[in-house]
Every structure is written in C-alpha cells, then in structure tokens.
Amino acid sequence: MKLDLGKKGAGARSRIGRKIGLTAGLLLVLGAATSASAADYGARFLQQYGVKASIAPAMTPARSDADGLFERYSPVESKTNQPRNVVSGTNPHNGADLAMASGDRVYAVLPGKVTEVKHDTSAQLGSVIIDQDTDGDGTPDGVYVQYVHIDPAGSGASGIRVGDYVTETTVIGTIDRAKRYNPHLHIQQVSRGRSGAADIQTMPMYLFYRHASLETWNAGSDLDYVSADWQDGNLLYLTAYAGTDNPQTNQYDRNRPAEIQLHYKIGSSGKWKMSTTRFSLYDANTLRYRIDLKKATGAVKGQKVYVYAAAIRANDPTFPNSAAYRHGLWPQFYKQPDRVLYAASSAKADAASRAFSIE
C-alpha cells in the first residue's frame, strides 16, 4: 500500500519536497568503547556533524490542519541527550519529547518507507520507524526516525504496515492516552530500522531542522541538549541548553547550562585533562557558546587536539539540587557517561572525542 497526498496535495508536495543534499562526511561513525557496565554504560549514541546544512528539510510531526500542510512547532519538554531527574529510564534522554495531546495526529516528518510498526499500546509504547527519503528521489536513504507513544494508524490491511511508502502528509498514528506517562510524542533518530537491534543507537535530531528559522525550535537546537557544532578556524561553537515544561509558569523554558567544560588532549598519545578555560556565551538569543581551542588547550599551529565537552545542567523547577546526574556530553556518545571519561582509562574519552587541527 502506497500512501499519497492525492490531487489536492500535489502542489504542496512540490513545496515540501525541498531537496538539500547530504553533506559529504556528515556522519562520523564512532567505534564502540569499553563499558563499565553493559546495563548502564556504553556507546548508545552516534554523533552527526555539520551546522551549515540540514540532513533534509523535515516537517514537524504535528500539524495545525487536517491535511497536514501547516506545521505546528510543539514545545519540546525534554531534549535528546538531556540529563534528567529520573530514577529509571534512559539518562541522558534518548530522544526529544514533544508536547502533544492524546488523540493528536502524528505525521511523518519526511517521505519514506515504514520498517517497523508496534501496535501494542498496553504500556503506551506503540511506535513506528520510517526509513526516511532525505533527498526526495523516492528511495529511502537509511536515515531512520522512530515515533513513540503513539497508536499506529489503523490495523491489518487498512492500517499502516511495514513496507508502506509514506509522505509528509501521511498520518502514521495518533498520540496515545495516558497510561504510564503524560500524553506526548517521543521522537528520535536511530541507527537501525528495527528497535530490537542490540546495537541500535540514538542520533541527534537538530540537523533535520537546521533549515528552519530561529523562531521555530531555534533552527533545530530545541531538540538536542548540545548541538550546532560549528568550527571557524580555531573557534568551536556549541549551542547548549535544557528544555523544560515549567510547572510554576506553565510555559516552556530554555535554561542555560551552569557551565560547559572542555576536556582535551594534544596529539594521539597526549594526556587527557580538563581545560581551565570554559565555553563563553556568544549569542544570548540562540544560547550559542564558543571557545578558542588554541588558547584553551595551549596547542600550537599544526597540532591535532582531541576534545569533548561536558554541559553541566543548572537547577530549574524540573531539575532540583537533588538530581544526581547533571551532565550531557558533546559529542553525544555514551549512555549515562562519566563526566571525566578518562578517570580510569583514556579509551572512553578517545572513543567519544572529536579531533581538530590547530590553525
């Protein structure tokens, strides 16, 4: 079964079928690292790079009209890779939670082929995974998006099925009613088309919306705790903040991190350490931070530095002093990572870091 826009949506399909090519070398596949505990520590994330281009001009999964042509930017209640005050569950968060009401229609963010449908909603975990067609050529590109806490559309021959090709105006399901959680959509990019894969990993979401304006999810950065890796010479820029649904003001808040630490080593055989220099706020409107890697590490021109950053979450109404887990890393890589990855061995930091050549 192929689900199309129909005659009415043909013009809109040409509008929303904008093409932005995949940036060369966009994906950096990081090798697995030694885990302290297979149950709560290990490689659970993959990082993508490139702030100047989007993976694809995705639409939002929520719309303000029944035809699915007008995008609605729902508040993001919890961001991908955001540390949380939870006893159980993934920490940092392995996806972005969008504020949507029970019964709201959920749309595909891009065209693509359905690779998994889970109709069991007894625990509010109904879901759909779509292999998205990122360049609009009619062929899925191995970029998988999972939509969770939904009741997938229909059942049997009349419902959404594995193998269906959907478009951006296809309703893939509706938000499930409250059972274990408040109704919301959990959306994440994953590395596999089946959720049962042992090596499935979470990937950033912000690059799907890098084409959008700063007024709409801050050009995608509302979806990831740390995003927007942008290099200009020796300057490294990161956008970092927590997204919260403030129960005191009943509004969505963007909360700056308490600080962003740079951890580094110079050369492949160097010793890991934390810089005394912190990322400084560069743009208060977008919450973009920057650091001069040459000054922060003491490296000289031509040397290669390996770095990762730790954004320490500040207190807010949903994240009290009692929260034990307070940091999210960039590049996002580990589930429940230590802040000092190299405390016992440099292997974890080596696996998670990104290399820069000093100019």
Side-chain angles (χ1 to χ4, degrees):
M1 178 175 67
K2 181 171 180 175
L3 306 177
D4 278 321
L5 287 166
K7 185 176 180 180
K8 180 177 180 181
R13 179 64 185 89
S14 63
R15 176 183 67 81
I16 59 182
R18 303 176 299 265
K19 296 184 180 180
I20 297 180
L22 285 169
T23 302
L26 194 62
L27 296 179
L28 175 65
V29 180
L30 299 171
T34 303
S35 299
S37 169
D40 61 4
Y41 193 107
R44 292 294 184 274
F45 296 91
L46 286 178
Q47 183 67 48
Q48 292 165 295
Y49 297 110
V51 70
K52 297 297 179 69
S54 299
I55 295 175
M59 294 187 75
T60 59
R63 311 291 164 81
S64 58
D65 66 312
D67 292 324
L69 301 179
F70 296 97
E71 299 183 79
R72 175 160 60 89
Y73 286 82
S74 302
V76 183
E77 297 176 327
S78 182
K79 302 167 72 176
T80 304
N81 201 32
Q82 178 168 297
R84 305 190 293 173
N85 184 34
V86 297
V87 177
S88 60
T90 56
N91 203 353
H93 193 208
N94 67 342
D97 287 347
L98 307 185
M100 294 177 65
S102 176
D104 280 358
R105 292 180 293 268
V106 178
Y107 294 82
V109 301
L110 289 163
K113 184 178 180 180
V114 177
T115 63
E116 180 181 85
V117 181
K118 290 189 173 181
H119 283 284
D120 184 356
T121 62
S122 59
Q124 213 171 333
L125 294 176
S127 67
V128 172
I129 298 180
I130 300 174
D131 185 355
Q132 309 288 183
D133 175 8
T134 59
D135 56 11
D137 67 355
T139 302
D141 296 303
V143 177
Y144 303 98
V145 174
Q146 185 174 21
Y147 308 76
V148 190
H149 307 318
I150 69 174
D151 186 1
S155 61
S158 63
I160 190 169
R161 295 177 298 172
V162 171
D164 286 350
Y165 188 89
V166 299
T167 72
E168 298 101 320
T169 58
T170 298
V171 176
I172 62 172
T174 56
I175 299 297
D176 199 2
R177 60 186 175 86
K179 295 166 186 171
R180 297 175 59 186
Y181 321 95
N182 289 329
H184 68 278
L185 175 65
H186 174 102
I187 187 170
Q188 64 184 111
Q189 185 188 178
V190 292
S191 60
R192 298 285 184 269
R194 297 292 299 274
S195 58
D199 60 345
I200 195 168
Q201 295 170 300
T202 297
M203 306 167 79
M205 287 294 297
Y206 76 93
L207 282 168
F208 283 103
Y209 298 93
R210 193 49 65 194
H211 64 281
S213 71
L214 297 180
E215 287 73 36
T216 51
W217 283 343
N218 195 15
S221 288
D222 276 358
L223 299 174
D224 294 88
Y225 182 58
V226 185
S227 64
D229 52 310
W230 173 24
Q231 183 186 5
D232 182 9
N234 294 321
L235 296 176
L236 174 63
Y237 295 79
L238 300 177
T239 301
Y241 54 95
T244 63
D245 187 15
N246 189 333
Q248 297 179 359
T249 62
N250 196 31
Q251 67 182 21
Y252 170 79
D253 287 340
R254 291 169 172 162
N255 299 109
R256 300 180 187 180
E259 63 175 322
I260 308 177
Q261 304 168 348
L262 181 76
H263 297 260
Y264 74 96
K265 72 174 183 178
I266 301 174
S268 59
S269 60
K271 183 177 180 180
W272 279 98
K273 60 185 70 175
M274 184 176 72
S275 175
T276 57
T277 303
R278 299 290 186 265
F279 281 79
S280 60
L281 183 63
Y282 169 72
D283 187 328
N285 292 323
T286 61
L287 296 179
R288 179 168 289 166
Y289 293 76
R290 73 177 176 184
I291 196 168
D292 187 319
L293 293 175
K294 184 176 183 180
K295 293 180 179 179
T297 64
V300 299
K301 183 178 180 179
Q303 286 188 310
K304 184 173 287 187
V305 295
Y306 296 80
V307 305
Y308 76 86
I312 314 302
R313 185 172 176 182
N315 295 327
D316 63 55
T318 65
F319 195 77
N321 276 319
S322 58
Y325 187 89
R326 311 194 69 85
H327 59 277
L329 300 187
W330 177 90
Q332 64 173 48
F333 186 53
Y334 286 114
K335 174 185 176 182
Q336 296 183 217
D338 296 324
R339 181 181 60 80
V340 182
L341 290 171
Y342 46 91
S345 166
S346 65
K348 294 184 178 68
D350 290 344
S353 64
R354 185 180 179 190
F356 294 88
S357 294
I358 297 299
E359 299 180 5

